[in-house]
Amino acid sequence: MTSTALSVPEVAARGRAVLDEVGTVVVGMREPLRVALAAILAGGHVLFEDVPGLGKTLAARSLATALGLDFRRVQCTPDLLPSDLTGSSVFDPATATFAFRPGPVFTGLLLADEINRTAPKTQSALLEAMAERQVTVDGTTYRLAEPFHVVATSNPVEYEGTYPLPEAQLDRFMVRLAVGYPDRDAEMDVLGRRLARRREHADVRQVVDAAALTQMQAGVEAVAVDPDVLGYCVDLAAATRAHAAVEVGASPRGSQALVLVARALAVLDGRDFVAPEDVKAVGVATLAHRISLSPQAWATGLAPQRVVTEVLGRTPVPPTVRRGEPVAVGGTAGRRAPGVE
């Protein structure tokens, strides 16, 4: 589907407005939400992995509302069936035929809450939808609406009764993000806002619609990336494969996710060029969930995030080649690209 591309300043301005609106109800998550929005602008899916009660579900719902996307939420449980996601054919006595009833996957943004609590067969039912933007039921293929994105949540600290996501499923998420606990002031802000509105539900205003989001995504796609930056992304992915603690490193899909999210992040900053700092900012979020540690490294408690951090620290950073002057959006006017004199 072709769409009119918005300019970099327009994408940056609308992206900032979306984040500001979501920030009226979601406190202390500006940076994770910024990366999540960048992943959506890059056409990808998002996995929030953190302990319960940090506002992951509220963040996903608020982001969907601000972006003007149809929103459906699925609470994943062990007895959830694939047809509960994709839909199924139901017999209609009036016509003596089977009619397809679409499931919750037919939406703009699907929230799969606690995705690691449902069985692998149901988890894999999302694979075709996430990768191909379609589902196949009873031999018939149904196209999903565009744009279509999945935001899933996972609890990394409670494993009883859960099913770890298979590598193929994890690889379909463009980024995996950790929210983290808020600091004292932010948590005080959360409590104060809840008392001030005198009700549980928090409202978010729609900032753009699905058509505008598609135009924003087209605007991001129109931005070129310097070959040196592309080479840097390839070197980072290759470095994960060569790391002594890694059994299976990041695939080319990982390096592709790295450059796509970095590009969207640069556009959100109002820049029409990608700097190595953009790549570093999303390195852990795009690569850590795509590597498998060796048994020895896993036994010592080494985290994949630490491996990616080490790779980012020792991989040579290329000089940044500017593609024109930075765009005057969000205080970026006159700013030179990092590494450029």
Side-chain angles (χ1 to χ4, degrees):
M1 183 178 71
T2 59
S3 178
T4 303
L6 295 180
S7 67
V8 170
E10 290 173 320
V11 176
R14 296 191 184 196
R16 189 171 63 253
V18 168
L19 291 175
D20 289 343
E21 182 61 30
V22 174
T24 61
V25 298
V26 181
V27 179
M29 290 177 56
R30 180 78 179 198
E31 189 56 29
L33 284 171
R34 183 167 164 266
V35 176
L37 178 58
I40 290 174
L41 290 179
H45 309 289
V46 180
L47 174 63
F48 282 109
E49 187 174 84
D50 221 320
V51 297
L54 296 180
K56 302 184 297 293
T57 302
L58 175 62
R61 182 186 295 111
S62 300
L63 198 58
T65 302
L67 291 172
L69 298 176
D70 293 332
F71 176 78
R72 302 289 296 275
R73 176 179 180 268
V74 175
Q75 182 63 51
C76 295
T77 58
D79 59 348
L80 191 72
L81 299 176
S83 59
D84 294 330
L85 290 175
T86 62
S88 59
S89 297
V90 179
F91 184 73
D92 184 359
T95 61
T97 59
F98 284 90
F100 177 67
R101 291 188 179 179
V105 75
F106 288 85
T107 187
L109 192 148
L110 174 69
L111 171 62
D113 219 352
E114 295 189 305
I115 191 172
N116 60 330
R117 289 200 175 277
T118 194
K121 187 175 183 179
T122 303
Q123 292 172 358
S124 64
L126 279 176
L127 265 179
E128 184 183 10
M130 295 172 68
E132 309 295 337
R133 262 66 173 183
Q134 65 182 31
V135 295
T136 302
V137 179
D138 295 334
T140 302
T141 299
Y142 302 91
R143 296 292 302 177
L144 299 177
E146 293 186 14
F148 167 75
H149 299 280
V150 173
V151 176
T153 67
S154 177
N155 181 355
V157 296
E158 185 181 351
Y159 293 103
E160 185 176 355
T162 65
Y163 305 86
L165 290 172
E167 286 77 6
Q169 182 81 8
L170 272 177
D171 200 39
R172 298 299 178 180
F173 288 101
M174 187 168 279
V175 295
R176 181 178 65 178
L177 301 170
V179 176
Y181 288 107
D183 57 29
R184 187 177 190 278
D185 291 340
E187 192 164 355
M188 288 283 290
D189 194 10
V190 171
L191 302 183
R193 294 189 188 200
R194 170 60 183 88
L195 295 176
R197 65 176 179 262
R198 299 186 179 184
R199 56 192 174 91
E200 184 64 30
H201 184 68
D203 294 319
V204 173
R205 178 180 59 89
Q206 178 180 331
V207 177
V208 299
D209 56 19
L213 175 59
T214 303
Q215 292 175 333
M216 293 170 69
Q217 292 173 331
V220 172
E221 288 289 348
V223 174
V225 182
D226 190 85
D228 283 346
V229 176
L230 294 179
Y232 182 49
C233 294
V234 171
D235 291 343
L236 288 172
T240 65
R241 303 165 201 158
H243 196 284
V246 175
E247 190 170 74
V248 180
S251 68
R253 185 181 286 128
S255 57
Q256 177 175 283
L258 190 58
V259 70
L260 292 180
V261 181
R263 180 177 61 176
L265 206 63
V267 173
L268 285 176
D269 279 347
R271 288 183 280 109
D272 59 355
F273 62 89
V274 182
E277 282 69 18
D278 299 314
V279 177
K280 286 187 173 184
V282 299
V284 173
T286 55
L287 296 181
H289 64 291
R290 302 177 192 273
I291 65 177
S292 298
L293 300 178
S294 65
Q296 296 82 359
W298 180 84
T300 62
L302 182 66
Q305 292 87 339
R306 182 179 170 185
V307 171
V308 176
T309 300
E310 291 179 4
V311 166
L312 289 169
R314 67 191 186 194
T315 303
V317 178
T320 304
V321 179
R322 268 197 332 190
R323 293 185 175 273
E325 290 297 323
V327 182
V329 174
T332 60
R335 181 189 305 170
R336 299 184 67 85
V340 176
E341 296 300 325

